[in-house]
Amino acid sequence: MSEIIKREAVYLRYYFDLQLRQILPYFVIGILLGSVISVFVKERIHGLFRSLGNKKLGVLGIIPASIIGIASPLCMYGTVPLAASFSKSGIKDDWLAAFMMSSILLNPQLIIYSTALGTAALAVRIVSCFLCGIAAGLLVRIFYKNKPFFDFSGFDEPKNRDTHPNLFVRLLKNIGRNIKATGLWFLVGIVLSVLFQRYVPAEFVSNLFGKNEGFGVLMAATIGVPLYACGGGTIPLLIQWLADGMSIGSAAAFMITGPATKITNLGAVKIVLGIKRFLLYLAFVMLFSLITGVIVNLVL
């Protein structure tokens, strides 16, 4: 029995080392880039969005709103007070919906992490998140044109934590917060990936997420709800699943429902939507992820 345990420990250590060396460079670059953007570029990005409120772009304003949402490095609890301040400055709810939806799904740091998935999966993630923001904005514009969609009462301008007078110290503190927020989940993701690689047959993953593509998309969208905890933590899992036969469409569905239904994001969204619109949000996320997954599988 002890020999079996020792042998399994060797295998698991080998797989862990392999996974860590594969994904760690992307994690480090993502942390650094995310902190640089947060410290030096964040205010310009948000200022750009605020300035768009003075332009008569109409429905076309949804497009830059979705792009700026992806470029914003804030988490959802930081995005909600920011969106509240945007609303007070005159930004319409359809633009805010596009901005918040794409901000939930993606940020510069997660883009860097996702390069580890390969060019096709990275492109699908960026395009699908952008289009999800567009779709959210259009739906709010169509169905809530003459009535408010968000309730930002009680929200003040978000506090800027990057205030140290020394820029280098400011950057180091931001890097530290980034590592604290994502480091543990990154390691958890690698551990889960190692366990899948060692104990879950590749055929099982292929059959579940690959061969029966419609069912695979549905399953991926569904498990994205409880399993997703941190973007960096799910990348090792997705790498392993894709290697084992997961379809790109299933991965796309997981990458949409995961962050959109992450428990902390749901808490922030629920505050500004109320129960009825919150349920509409969940239905939209599931439907969009399923449609996206099926289309991606048909195209790729």
Side-chain angles (χ1 to χ4, degrees):
M1 181 64 69
S2 61
E3 289 300 320
I4 294 176
I5 294 175
K6 288 180 181 179
R7 185 168 66 249
E8 287 302 307
V10 170
Y11 280 128
L12 293 175
R13 188 162 54 246
Y14 167 77
Y15 287 131
F16 182 86
D17 180 66
L18 191 66
Q19 291 276 6
L20 184 63
R21 285 189 284 110
Q22 183 180 10
I23 192 67
L24 185 60
Y26 300 99
F27 178 77
V28 172
I29 294 172
I31 287 286
L32 293 176
L33 179 63
S35 292
V36 167
I37 290 175
S38 183
V39 172
F40 300 109
V41 189
K42 176 179 64 181
E43 295 303 322
R44 293 183 182 180
I45 293 172
H46 297 155
L48 174 62
F49 188 39
R50 203 183 301 273
S51 69
L52 291 177
N54 300 322
K55 304 181 185 300
K56 297 181 179 180
L57 298 177
V59 66
L60 294 179
I62 293 172
I63 297 174
S66 185
I67 295 173
I68 293 172
I70 292 173
S72 174
L74 293 179
C75 68
M76 186 44 47
Y77 270 102
T79 298
V80 168
L82 181 66
S85 71
F86 287 154
S87 180
K88 291 178 182 177
S89 65
I91 303 293
K92 302 299 183 182
D93 279 3
D94 54 343
W95 292 21
L96 291 175
F99 169 79
M100 293 176 68
M101 188 73 248
S102 61
S103 180
I104 286 175
L105 297 177
L106 200 57
N107 58 55
Q109 190 168 319
L110 188 52
I111 290 176
I112 296 299
Y113 293 161
S114 300
T115 57
L117 299 173
T119 304
L122 174 63
V124 165
R125 179 162 221 171
I126 294 174
V127 172
S128 63
C129 292
F130 168 68
L131 293 178
C132 192
I134 296 292
L138 287 174
L139 289 173
V140 168
R141 185 177 183 86
I142 293 170
F143 294 104
Y144 284 83
K145 188 172 184 178
N146 298 316
K147 51 185 176 181
F149 185 74
F150 297 104
D151 179 10
F152 292 117
S153 57
F155 283 95
D156 298 319
E157 184 79 21
K159 295 180 180 179
N160 187 357
R161 301 174 67 183
D162 300 310
T163 56
H164 197 280
N166 187 300
L167 287 178
F168 183 68
V169 174
R170 191 185 307 174
L171 179 62
L172 287 180
K173 287 189 172 184
N174 192 282
I175 290 173
R177 289 196 300 270
N178 254 336
I179 294 174
K180 184 179 179 180
T182 62
L184 176 60
W185 294 114
F186 171 73
L187 292 176
V188 168
I190 292 180
V191 170
L192 289 175
S193 177
V194 167
L195 294 176
F196 265 93
Q197 188 172 2
R198 178 60 182 158
Y199 299 116
V200 179
E203 293 79 7
F204 174 81
V205 176
S206 179
N207 290 333
L208 186 62
F209 297 126
K211 290 182 179 179
N212 190 341
E213 294 186 348
F215 178 74
V217 170
L218 176 61
M219 287 300 300
T222 302
I223 68 169
V225 176
L227 189 59
Y228 198 99
C230 169
T234 57
I235 297 300
L237 277 175
L238 282 169
I239 290 174
Q240 188 58 48
W241 289 345
L242 287 168
D244 287 343
M246 183 186 216
S247 69
I248 296 291
S250 295
F254 180 86
M255 289 187 289
I256 292 171
T257 60
T261 58
K262 179 182 174 184
I263 190 65
T264 52
N265 287 342
L266 286 181
V269 171
K270 170 65 171 60
I271 292 172
V272 298
L273 292 186
I275 186 63
K276 180 182 177 180
R277 293 186 296 275
F278 178 70
L279 292 175
L280 290 174
Y281 165 80
L282 292 178
F284 164 74
V285 167
M286 292 301 298
L287 184 60
F288 186 89
S289 67
L290 290 172
I291 293 173
T292 299
V294 171
I295 292 175
V296 167
N297 277 340
L298 289 174
V299 173
L300 299 180

